[in-house]
Amino acid sequence: MPVIQPTSSADCIEFINENRQDVEEGVYDIRIKGEWLAQLPQEVFQLLLTHCPSSKRVIAASVDNPEAGAKTLTLLAKDDSAEVRLAVAQNIHTPPSDLRDLSFDISDDVRLAIARNPAIPDTLLEQLSQDKEFEIRLEASKNPGIKISTLNRLASDRADTVRTSIQNMARNHRTPPDMLEKLSKVRDAALRQEVALNSATPRKLLAILARDQVATVRSAAHSAWIRIANNQHTDPRELTQLAGVRSEEIRSAVAGNTATPEEILAKLAVDHAPKVRQVVASNPKTPLTCLKKMIQDPLTDVRRAVAKSPNLPEPILEALCQDKAATVRATLAANPIEIKRRETNNLCMLCGNGLKKIESMFGGKCMSCRKNKPY
């Protein structure tokens, strides 16, 4: 039969008034738009619902009143057309009893739509997660209403595609937080590890996974925290919190982050872990007041890190020239800012001591250094 496509709800009503008998006898099929439903008289709506297959699909997809539309959806759920039943299966307002009936539909597409419907009851989702068709089990695994017990079973599904899909959900940064929370509680440690490594995983989940009973999961969560501590876009308030954690690796990451507040760098500059202090000394944002104190650090590597800084004032450079460790003095001698200072002030390029007039004629080295004597 020819399909009539009115241009408006008024055009639809006018056409039906002029051709009502032909429409009832199946001479014409009318295709409406969903937004017209509220504008159609009840008798016109009923005629479309009874005699127009094209409008049935639109009505099934567009009914959005759980109470007034329940009878309509129940009627359409029993329609002979799989396309109409599919539209009912996709509608989040379809009554649970109709969804239950459609979950046994002979059409795979209808059952697939039920598995995708976020309004599906838990019992139906559990049922469809055991469907003979792996595509339907796959869609059930993605449904936001899925239970952890169902996810546990699907994570070991006989179909590689289903198992791989769940793994991809655990690592996909677009996976909704609610689903990541469920995946963080599954039995499969490999899945929990993927959640821990996911950049979209909420901090509260990371904190839980950091205490996981499986070492690989804890390690993954620890790596995630280091990544956060290294990220220059991490909120300074969060960096402040991370600066106080027990992990030396995380504190070191905070110490090297140029977004870390200066007052936090000052605290980390006296951290009990030498590695943390060394990283603070290497941070170009570390305040000079901190660096001035750090040239007295008992650890040679920390003082060497200070000696590499490109922004040292002359008093600190002069103090480092007198450092007791030859490695610190050698590191300072290779610093471009110190090289320039020595060239400008006629200092020995190796030890930093002042050059006598005659010594300055021999390549910028003092007599002691030319004789290869130790500093």
Side-chain angles (χ1 to χ4, degrees), residues 131-205:
D131 196 276
K132 60 184 177 62
E133 299 295 336
F134 81 87
E135 293 94 341
I136 295 174
R137 302 198 303 276
L138 176 62
E139 291 306 319
S141 72
K142 300 176 184 178
N143 194 299
I146 194 167
K147 295 193 295 186
I148 296 174
S149 58
T150 306
L151 269 177
N152 276 326
R153 181 166 44 73
L154 289 173
S156 302
D157 194 87
R158 60 184 180 275
D160 290 344
T161 306
V162 176
R163 299 195 305 273
T164 300
S165 174
I166 295 176
Q167 291 169 356
N168 289 337
M169 272 199 299
R171 61 171 66 108
N172 191 336
H173 69 279
R174 294 182 179 177
T175 299
D178 289 348
M179 180 62 78
L180 287 175
E181 183 173 2
K182 292 179 181 179
L183 289 166
S184 72
K185 299 177 181 178
V186 297
R187 286 193 300 266
D188 190 336
L191 282 177
R192 301 200 304 276
Q193 181 177 348
E194 292 292 351
V195 174
L197 292 173
N198 192 325
S199 61
T201 296
R203 307 292 202 256
K204 65 177 183 178
L205 289 188

Side-chain angles (χ1 to χ4, degrees), residues 259-313:
T260 299
E262 289 188 358
E263 61 270 21
I264 301 304
L265 289 175
K267 291 181 179 179
L268 293 174
V270 292
D271 193 273
H272 64 84
K275 176 64 177 177
V276 176
R277 303 199 305 274
Q278 185 177 346
V279 176
V280 172
S282 302
N283 191 327
K285 296 295 184 179
T286 298
L288 290 176
T289 52
C290 290
L291 294 178
K292 187 175 181 180
K293 295 178 181 178
M294 296 183 81
I295 61 176
Q296 304 297 328
D297 195 280
L299 189 72
T300 300
D301 285 343
V302 174
R303 303 197 306 277
R304 284 187 63 199
V306 176
K308 293 179 182 179
S309 176
N311 301 310
L312 296 176

Side-chain angles (χ1 to χ4, degrees), residues 321-322 338 341-342 347-354 369:
C321 279
Q322 307 303 318
E338 174 64 4
R341 184 182 79 92
R342 293 182 183 188
L347 304 176
C348 176
M349 300 304 294
L350 295 181
C351 68
N353 290 330
C369 291

Side-chain angles (χ1 to χ4, degrees), residues 5-230:
Q5 300 185 55
T7 59
S8 65
S9 59
D11 187 26
C12 175
I13 295 170
E14 181 180 353
F15 181 86
I16 289 177
N17 288 337
E18 294 176 356
N19 303 274
R20 183 180 298 274
Q21 185 172 348
D22 287 340
V23 173
E24 291 176 347
E25 293 176 356
V27 175
Y28 297 115
D29 181 16
I30 300 176
R31 181 179 299 159
I32 63 170
K33 294 184 178 181
E35 58 264 30
W36 298 350
L37 290 182
Q39 304 165 21
L40 298 176
Q42 186 61 28
E43 65 273 11
V44 171
F45 175 80
Q46 288 299 327
L47 185 143
L48 294 169
L49 184 63
T50 306
H51 301 288
C52 298
S54 295
S55 286
K56 287 182 183 181
R57 293 195 296 272
V58 175
I59 293 171
S62 304
V63 169
D64 59 3
N65 188 321
E67 297 180 2
K71 291 183 179 179
T72 299
L73 289 169
T74 297
L75 175 64
L76 294 174
K78 300 177 177 61
D79 197 88
D80 292 336
S81 170
E83 292 185 351
V84 174
R85 300 197 305 277
L86 173 62
V88 176
Q90 294 171 329
N91 195 319
I92 62 173
H93 300 293
T94 298
S97 58
D98 296 320
L99 291 176
R100 188 174 299 107
D101 292 341
L102 290 171
S103 68
F104 295 99
D105 200 275
I106 59 174
S107 169
D108 292 347
D109 289 338
V110 172
R111 301 200 309 282
L112 196 65
I114 294 292
R116 289 172 175 161
N117 193 322
I120 182 175
D122 290 344
T123 52
L124 293 190
L125 194 54
E126 172 68 19
Q127 171 193 315
L128 290 171
S129 71
Q130 302 178 61
D131 196 276
K132 60 184 177 62
E133 299 295 336
F134 81 87
E135 293 94 341
I136 295 174
R137 302 198 303 276
L138 176 62
E139 291 306 319
S141 72
K142 300 176 184 178
N143 194 299
I146 194 167
K147 295 193 295 186
I148 296 174
S149 58
T150 306
L151 269 177
N152 276 326
R153 181 166 44 73
L154 289 173
S156 302
D157 194 87
R158 60 184 180 275
D160 290 344
T161 306
V162 176
R163 299 195 305 273
T164 300
S165 174
I166 295 176
Q167 291 169 356
N168 289 337
M169 272 199 299
R171 61 171 66 108
N172 191 336
H173 69 279
R174 294 182 179 177
T175 299
D178 289 348
M179 180 62 78
L180 287 175
E181 183 173 2
K182 292 179 181 179
L183 289 166
S184 72
K185 299 177 181 178
V186 297
R187 286 193 300 266
D188 190 336
L191 282 177
R192 301 200 304 276
Q193 181 177 348
E194 292 292 351
V195 174
L197 292 173
N198 192 325
S199 61
T201 296
R203 307 292 202 256
K204 65 177 183 178
L205 289 188
L206 275 182
I208 294 172
L209 292 169
R211 300 190 298 271
D212 196 272
Q213 60 183 350
V214 178
T216 54
V217 179
R218 296 196 302 273
S219 178
H222 186 259
S223 297
W225 281 119
I226 292 176
R227 183 186 67 240
I228 293 169
N230 273 318

